[in-house]
Amino acid sequence: VIDLGQPEHAVITTCAYCGVGCGFKAEMKGDKVIRMTPWKDGKANRGHACVKGRFAWGYATHQDRILNPMIRKSITDPWQEVSWDEAINYAASEFRRIQDQHGRDAVGGITSSRCTNEETYLVQKLVRAAFGTNNVDTCARVCHSPTGYGLKMTLGESAGTQTFDSVMHTDVVIVMGANPSAAHPVFASRLKRRLRQGARLIVIDPRQTELVSSPHIQADYHLPLRPGTNTAILTAMAHVIVTENLVNETYVAERCDTAAFNEWRSFVSQPQNSPEAMAEICGVSAEDIRGAARLYATGGNGSIYYGLGVTEHSQGSTTVMAIANLAMATGNVGREGVGVNPLRGQNNVQGSCDMGSFPHEFPGYRHVSDTSVRQQFEEAWGVSLQSEPGLRIPNMFEAALSGSFKGLYCQGEDIVQSDPNTQHVAAAMAAMECVVVQDLFLNETAKYAHVFLPGSSFLEKDGTFTNAERRISRVRKVMEPKAGMADWEVTCALARALGYPMSYEHPGQIMDEIARLTPTFTGVSYDRIQELGGSVQWPCNEQAPEGTPTMHIDEFVRGKGRFMLTQYVPTEERSSRKFPLLLTTGRILSQYNVGAQTRRTDNVAWHAEDLLEIHPVDAEDRGIRSGDKVSVKSRAGETALRATVTERVQPGVVYTTFHFPESGANVVTTNNSDWATNCPEYKVTAVQIQRVTSE
Ligand code: SF4
């Protein structure tokens, strides 16, 4: 036991990890954090926390932190430490050189859901106003961009409908493509409390997650569908609801676009959408599909929580719309205990999308082609802005490989490790002439960088994060930026070096500018957040001065809810004789995403490598036992993992996590992506597995 002593003071801030957004007290002795204690008044967590937020903050002071700006002319040269001015001026001169030689759109920026709202807002402002292009994107591209598209099309707003507390009023829960016990543990504990009180549970997931069967919880239905068939199973459930007269006709007549509903009703009623027809496609019995649909439609307040197992598919956006269809058809949107709830992976996925870091949208999800909106930003920022959407992240890679995209500013995102088909991404990065990485560590992406700008950890920041329930929470500086400049100051300095005036005295001024320009944020300020107890859920404006816990109460944001047709289209990624198994991916409790933070903490003691889960039948066929090293080969690439033989996965399906660069799960993932948003299809990769070495 290490005696950390008694704290002398504490600072309230917000966790750096998942989309639950737990409030924490950083307890300090002198200028050192000695412990992170969950904040009992935090509205997202109410005094709870998980092993990541509570114990995995040591990365902030890890020896791997890079604290000096660095440049190099070529990615094969050694790094050279330089002053902040020199690094920023060099980056700016390179971006301008590239634009002079190759055109305005030859450069762009990527921001991250690990950055605050204020930092993300500044990155898109820099790209739009200083670079003069809409080539800006966020890592939400590769996780929840289909949520933004699907919920906007159906309900009218790109956000979840409820508070986390709402789950305490639910009667039937569908958890689809999500493993909250590992990825959103504090929400999971609230959900489990409600389940122990008697709420019913349907889990739709290829894998037997902890929720399916644990000592105190047994799911009423587990639909272990074949990876890639989400749309099929939801359309089959809709078929049951329509053909067995389980639609909430009054709700639909009053709240929804009835022409669209009637079209949807006749579409889902078709025999090819019946559970019997879809059962073989999904690998789930028709009887279970029918039972789950009946339970959701008739069991009282029905709520749906979903994760990346929904979005990271070639039909990710279609599946999100299929979820919204089910909720509208059964009258399950617009009050406590119901709703459609994306479980966001990172703490500020919602915020990074809200802040306009998409190539087609300004802050507040307003399209760049909207002249009146564009004029508003042009007046506020004092520049003329482009009306054509810019490049998405995968388009940037393609453009780099074809020679038309040459310069990238990448803040807080390790795209080389995070994005699919690593070889493709690495080749694109190597083809660029100026890559500027702003991060805590020399990550995989920094291997392709020409300028490295040291980032600041959440303990060194002032700002806000917006969690999965639209809750804007304050992040407060616990210590001064270790490298001497906060991330927002670096972005401003880069803009000024590019010749665009961008200065603020404090991130609170950035939030004031966001509020002036974003209708759903007009009532948000740091003072107002403080008055409201430390957080507020947007929309927060004249109509909702105290924020909005539940959305779409009297009408949908878009007016009438719109049913969308959700035709199942099989993914192009098929198993074959050569690649007979389907690989899907997920997370473990103690690690977080690509592990850049948690791998640099004591959490590695709980989980030190990524493992490949394989069913006993498939393992026996290949002579594999738990502990064996196996090769995992796909059409895109090959990696090696240690196997664990388990019935948590179905025959024909294998599963791994992606926390360690050595195992490189993304070496094998493909270039397939969601048809509407280009969110990569991480969740379906046809692979062959062979034993390499014995235990
Ligand atoms: Fe809360 Fe998520 Fe942080 Fe865990 S990782 S403490 S659940 S915000």
Side-chain angles (χ1 to χ4, degrees):
V1 176
I2 303 167
D3 181 9
L4 298 169
Q6 288 303 308
E8 293 164 349
H9 66 284
V11 179
I12 305 290
T13 190
T14 302
C15 180
Y17 289 113
C18 85
V20 177
C22 295
F24 272 91
K25 275 199 303 188
E27 297 190 333
M28 312 283 296
K29 191 168 188 182
D31 60 356
K32 290 201 168 42
V33 179
I34 59 168
R35 126 175 111 226
M36 295 292 282
T37 310
W39 185 32
K40 69 176 174 36
D41 295 326
K43 290 185 183 142
N45 57 316
R46 304 196 182 284
H48 293 272
C50 79
V51 295
K52 292 184 283 279
R54 188 145 192 173
F55 301 118
W57 44 272
Y59 70 89
T61 52
H62 195 273
Q63 60 190 17
D64 288 353
R65 283 281 300 269
I66 303 293
L67 300 178
N68 289 302
M70 302 188 294
I71 61 175
R72 57 183 175 180
K73 296 274 161 26
S74 153
I75 60 171
T76 55
D77 289 344
W79 284 108
Q80 186 191 347
E81 289 185 1
V82 294
S83 67
W84 275 108
D85 279 352
E86 200 174 337
I88 288 168
N89 288 333
Y90 179 75
S93 67
E94 279 295 280
F95 285 134
R96 282 296 183 235
R97 177 189 63 75
I98 289 169
Q99 288 189 301
D100 289 345
Q101 291 177 357
H102 303 283
R104 188 190 62 212
D105 294 324
V107 300
I110 297 174
T111 181
S112 163
S113 303
R114 282 180 218 177
C115 300
T116 62
N117 286 316
E118 293 76 2
E119 290 158 357
T120 303
Y121 173 84
L122 288 190
V123 170
Q124 62 87 36
K125 181 175 177 180
L126 173 136
V127 171
R128 294 198 156 99
F131 286 169
T133 171
N134 283 322
N135 290 340
V136 62
D137 212 346
T138 164
C139 63
R141 171 70 50 212
V142 302
C143 65
H144 268 284
S145 51
T147 288
Y149 181 88
L151 296 186
K152 184 147 192 168
M153 293 298 287
T154 48
L155 311 182
E157 191 59 272
S158 302
T161 62
Q162 309 297 125
T163 60
F164 289 130
D165 284 343
S166 167
V167 79
M168 296 311 294
H169 302 273
T170 200
D171 300 309
V172 182
V173 189
I174 295 179
V175 176
M176 182 167 188
N179 183 9
S181 311
H184 304 87
V186 166
F187 166 71
S189 66
R190 215 168 305 174
L191 167 62
K192 287 188 228 175
R193 192 163 8 127
R194 183 62 188 152
L195 294 171
R196 286 194 297 271
Q197 290 171 354
R200 314 285 296 275
L201 175 65
I202 300 161
V203 175
I204 307 177
D205 201 293
R207 185 166 169 267
Q208 185 175 316
T209 58
E210 194 238 354
L211 278 181
V212 173
S213 178
S214 57
H216 305 291
I217 294 164
Q218 291 290 323
D220 293 85
Y221 289 94
H222 175 212
L223 310 182
L225 76 178
R226 191 168 289 130
T229 61
N230 286 333
T231 299
I233 207 162
L234 292 175
T235 305
M237 287 174 71
H239 178 96
V240 176
I241 288 166
V242 164
T243 57
E244 297 189 9
N245 299 320
L246 303 178
V247 169
N248 185 331
E249 299 284 354
T250 310
Y251 181 96
V252 169
E254 287 174 0
R255 300 283 309 265
C256 300
D257 175 336
T258 45
F261 169 73
N262 287 333
E263 198 183 347
W264 175 80
R265 185 203 294 259
S266 53
F267 162 71
V268 297
S269 307
Q270 293 166 4
Q272 66 264 32
N273 289 326
S274 68
E276 288 68 26
M278 291 297 193
E280 197 171 329
I281 291 169
C282 301
V284 175
S285 78
E287 193 185 340
D288 279 355
I289 296 173
R290 284 191 180 276
R294 288 173 190 147
L295 176 58
Y296 174 67
T298 63
N301 280 346
S303 55
I304 305 177
Y305 293 84
Y306 70 88
L308 303 181
V310 161
T311 54
E312 291 177 342
H313 287 272
S314 58
Q315 282 205 288
S317 292
T318 314
T319 306
V320 172
M321 294 189 289
I323 286 172
N325 288 343
L326 277 194
M328 289 188 291
T330 52
N332 277 317
V333 185
R335 61 183 187 281
E336 271 200 309
V338 299
V340 175
N341 304 283
L343 294 170
R344 311 285 192 155
Q346 301 197 59
N347 48 9
N348 205 34
V349 176
Q350 182 70 55
S352 75
C353 301
D354 301 342
M355 291 300 104
S357 51
F358 281 139
H360 65 297
E361 284 175 334
F362 287 117
Y365 303 99
R366 289 161 300 158
H367 205 276
V368 293
S369 63
D370 184 323
T371 305
S372 65
V373 172
R374 203 171 58 256
Q375 279 172 351
Q376 187 191 6
F377 282 92
E378 287 177 337
E379 276 166 29
W381 294 350
V383 287
S384 54
L385 297 167
Q386 304 303 315
S387 58
E388 292 291 318
L391 298 174
R392 298 168 173 174
I393 292 172
N395 306 134
M396 291 181 194
F397 297 147
E398 283 153 24
L401 289 169
S402 68
S404 61
F405 188 83
K406 304 268 187 189
L408 179 66
Y409 171 43
C410 184
Q411 185 189 63
E413 175 64 3
D414 190 358
I415 45 178
V416 173
Q417 197 186 339
S418 306
D419 285 45
N421 196 344
T422 305
Q423 302 88 319
H424 174 77
V425 178
M429 297 300 294
M432 295 186 205
E433 293 178 4
C434 178
V435 174
V436 177
V437 166
Q438 186 176 3
D439 211 290
L440 302 181
F441 307 108
L442 275 176
N443 56 22
E444 295 299 302
T445 306
K447 289 179 179 165
Y448 302 89
H450 305 84
V451 180
F452 187 89
L453 304 173
S456 35
S457 76
F458 79 115
L459 295 173
E460 297 149 53
K461 291 175 192 266
D462 271 307
T464 52
F465 290 144
T466 305
N467 75 356
E469 49 171 8
R470 294 170 279 104
R471 184 179 300 285
I472 308 163
S473 298
R474 282 283 276 117
V475 180
R476 290 186 182 79
K477 188 160 68 176
V478 168
M479 57 182 73
E480 291 305 313
K482 288 191 165 298
M485 281 179 87
D487 289 333
W488 68 270
E489 293 174 309
V490 175
T491 308
C492 287
L494 181 56
R496 290 195 298 272
L498 285 158
Y500 178 75
M502 198 154 93
S503 294
Y504 304 86
E505 284 174 11
H506 185 271
Q509 288 185 338
I510 307 170
M511 179 51 80
D512 293 343
E513 181 174 315
I514 294 165
R516 279 196 300 278
L517 292 167
T518 312
T520 45
F521 273 63
T522 54
V524 180
S525 68
Y526 287 6
D527 286 346
R528 188 72 185 127
I529 291 173
Q530 185 78 13
E531 283 164 20
L532 291 170
S535 65
V536 62
Q537 287 172 276
W538 68 260
C540 173
N541 48 25
E542 269 185 22
Q543 294 77 40
E546 313 242 311
T548 308
T550 305
M551 294 194 83
H552 315 291
I553 287 180
D554 296 319
E555 64 172 3
F556 289 99
V557 169
R558 70 178 306 284
K560 296 282 188 188
R562 183 175 172 201
F563 284 81
M564 299 293 291
L565 301 190
T566 55
Q567 179 79 50
Y568 166 64
V569 178
T571 170
E572 287 177 11
E573 183 68 1
R574 310 280 168 85
S575 54
S576 64
R577 201 198 276 278
K578 187 169 178 195
F579 301 104
L581 303 177
L582 291 178
L583 171 71
T584 191
T585 58
R587 301 178 194 180
I588 198 154
L589 171 63
S590 57
Q591 298 291 341
Y592 177 72
N593 279 7
V594 297
Q597 295 150 286
T598 46
R599 278 187 285 109
R600 293 181 171 94
T601 70
D602 292 343
N603 274 19
V604 286
W606 284 300
H607 177 80
E609 65 178 328
D610 293 316
L611 299 171
L612 183 89
E613 292 186 0
I614 184 167
H615 189 272
V617 169
D618 293 323
E620 191 178 342
D621 283 352
R622 292 159 178 80
I624 294 168
R625 290 185 303 180
S626 286
D628 287 351
K629 201 85 175 173
V630 297
S631 82
V632 181
K633 191 171 182 184
S634 75
R635 296 178 181 99
E638 181 173 5
T639 187
L641 290 161
R642 199 168 300 286
T644 180
V645 179
T646 172
E647 291 185 353
R648 279 193 293 270
V649 288
Q650 302 290 307
V653 175
V654 289
Y655 165 91
T656 189
T657 50
F658 50 89
H659 303 305
F660 290 84
E662 306 81 52
S663 46
N666 283 326
V667 171
V668 297
T669 47
T670 71
N671 280 346
N672 295 334
S673 67
D674 174 45
W675 63 270
T677 68
N678 280 134
C679 181
E681 189 169 58
Y682 290 107
K683 301 299 182 188
V684 193
T685 308
V687 292
Q688 60 170 257
I689 308 290
Q690 286 178 331
R691 186 166 64 87
V692 179
T693 57
S694 298
E695 181 186 3

